[in-house]
Amino acid sequence: MPHSLVPLPYPHDALEPFIDARTMEIHHGKHHQAYVNNLNAALEKTPRLFEVPLDRLLSELDSLVPEESRLAVRNHGGGVLNHNLFWKSMKPNGGGAPTGMAADAINGAFGSFEKFKELFDEAGMKRFGSGWVWLVADAGNTLKVTSTANQDSPLTVGQRPLLGNDVWEHAYYLKYQNRRNEYLAAWWNVVNWDEVNRRLRG
């Protein structure tokens, strides 16, 4: 079956005042929808790939996807999967320090939550142009902070995304304009640590 736009797990205005309702409407209903539409168009050339889970499609891109469709699936499939993860990475009345497995894993990997935040925000600021900043687990299950360009998924380089923030301008421009640093700082108020713990459990 063709891929479809996942519904937001909360109303458009649920993350106010940190992320405004209008941005959420455009980001989800226009940008995310466009990635879904373009992914489906790319997969129409190889219909059997509609049956392959999207995370597998991206992690095994070179072996599963014909070369002529590979770039489109990487870009638009990444856009779909990254956003699916992004919406769940946030929740109303979220934020605060991590709990449970997330707290133990972050403290173990980075020394403290504050150090992790510092590294994460630094990676977000250093991402030139459009892209994402991530907390990932590598093949050895070691936690790392990384970033990817455009809509590239960490899955394409063998990393499992645990938490991701969208630093494309469309994610924050209506409220924060060019002040990415303010957006990054505000975003910590909506992080969904329950979802990070779920991903850590696999």
Side-chain angles (χ1 to χ4, degrees), residues 71-168:
L71 182 60
V73 172
R74 175 176 176 160
N75 288 339
H76 301 296
V80 172
L81 195 69
N82 290 348
H83 283 91
N84 288 351
L85 186 149
F86 180 58
W87 310 130
K88 291 181 179 179
S89 293
M90 303 181 290
K91 70 174 183 177
N93 303 311
T99 57
M101 289 180 67
D104 294 342
I106 286 170
N107 289 335
F110 305 105
S112 70
F113 174 51
E114 289 305 317
K115 182 60 178 177
F116 162 66
K117 280 177 65 177
E118 179 185 326
L119 293 171
F120 194 94
D121 288 347
E122 181 182 9
M125 288 301 295
K126 286 183 175 178
R127 169 49 56 192
F128 181 75
S130 300
W132 292 76
V133 57
W134 303 98
L135 172 66
V136 300
D138 67 12
N141 222 29
T142 299
L143 266 57
K144 295 179 178 179
V145 169
T146 187
S147 72
T148 57
N150 301 315
Q151 291 296 348
D152 286 354
S153 167
L155 291 170
T156 61
V157 291
Q159 297 172 333
R160 180 165 55 99
L162 301 170
L163 179 69
N165 193 4
D166 189 345
V167 295
W168 283 63

Side-chain angles (χ1 to χ4, degrees), residues 11-26:
H12 289 115
D13 63 355
L15 304 180
E16 294 267 14
F18 308 106
I19 301 179
D20 61 285
R22 184 62 178 146
T23 293
M24 293 295 290
E25 290 171 7
I26 297 169

Side-chain angles (χ1 to χ4, degrees), residues 172-188:
Y172 61 87
Y173 197 83
L174 292 182
K175 183 174 179 69
Y176 297 99
Q177 288 79 52
N178 63 326
R179 303 186 304 277
R180 184 186 286 183
N181 61 314
E182 292 183 18
Y183 162 70
L184 287 167
W187 183 77
W188 292 106

